Every structure is written in C-alpha cells, then in structure tokens.
Amino acid sequence: LVELAASGGTSVQPGGSLRLSCAAASYRFSDNCMGWFRQAPGKEREGIATIYTGGSGTNYADSVKGRFTISQDSDKRTIYLQMNMLKPEDTAMYYCATDSLYSWACSVDNIMKRSNSVGAWDQGTLVTVSS
C-alpha cells in the first residue's frame, strides 16, 4: 500500500458538499484498489471508501454510506471522493492510498488491514465541517 497526495480539503458548513481528489502515476492507478481514509483528532484512522480502478466496484464504511461517493477518471488517473450532507463529525484529515489488492478483495476492511503497514501518513488534506 502506498499513500498518495490528497487535495481539495477546506472548511465547509454542515449540510454542505465537497469533492476531494487524488492522482496517481499510471502504474499505481491501473487495476489497483484505491481508497480514502480519514483520521479525526484523537481518533484512529478509518477506512471510508474503496474503488477498484480496473472495474467499477466500490465499497463504503457505514459511517459515510449514502452520503459519500468514490469515483474515478481513468484519463486523469485520478480518484475522487464526493462528500455530501457533511456533518461536524466528518471533520478529519483525509488521506488517499493505492494498493495491489485484486478486485474481489478490494474493500474498506481489507485496505485498512493493508494500511497498517504504512508508518507516518503525511499527505492528507484537512476537511473541517463547522458553522
């Protein structure tokens, strides 16, 4: 698993929307399991969404299901996280990573297990939801 640079974070009001982006080199994008994670202050890192770039399979954590959407643009080798109906509890540093998990294994649970092999995460983007 390799951490990639996430971008697009900013401050937004509750109920608002925001889209995060994460670009990868070709060899780290094609047929990879890419995912979004977040870590709120004082809490452990949480895997929230995955997408298998060789197909269209996606998986979400219950905490974001129905509000967040992960998608990809293959031409730009970029994945996105569209976040709607944002809540104050969504405030966190958001991170992106890519892994060689096969399509059938690409899930939030599995990419979280793989993420434990990464030491310091330092390419996140901050999302603050506050009025």
Side-chain angles (χ1 to χ4, degrees), residues 42-63:
K43 295 188 176 181
E44 293 187 350
R45 188 175 61 252
E46 173 189 20
I48 57 174
T50 58
I51 186 166
Y52 185 71
T53 61
S56 59
T58 59
N59 185 244
Y60 297 92
D62 288 342
S63 58

Side-chain angles (χ1 to χ4, degrees), residues 90-110:
D90 293 318
T91 294
M93 190 70 78
Y94 283 72
Y95 301 93
C96 167
T98 184
D99 193 272
S100 58
L101 285 166
Y102 293 127
S103 60
W104 52 267
C106 185
S107 70
V108 167
D109 287 345
N110 285 337

Side-chain angles (χ1 to χ4, degrees), residues 54-76:
S56 59
T58 59
N59 185 244
Y60 297 92
D62 288 342
S63 58
V64 304
K65 198 173 293 183
R67 298 188 299 123
F68 292 10
T69 302
I70 188 170
S71 63
Q72 62 173 310
D73 184 329
S74 300
D75 290 339
K76 296 182 179 179

Side-chain angles (χ1 to χ4, degrees), residues 11 24 32 70 83 114 117:
S11 296
N32 270 246
I70 188 170
M83 304 185 292
R114 299 280 276 238
S117 64

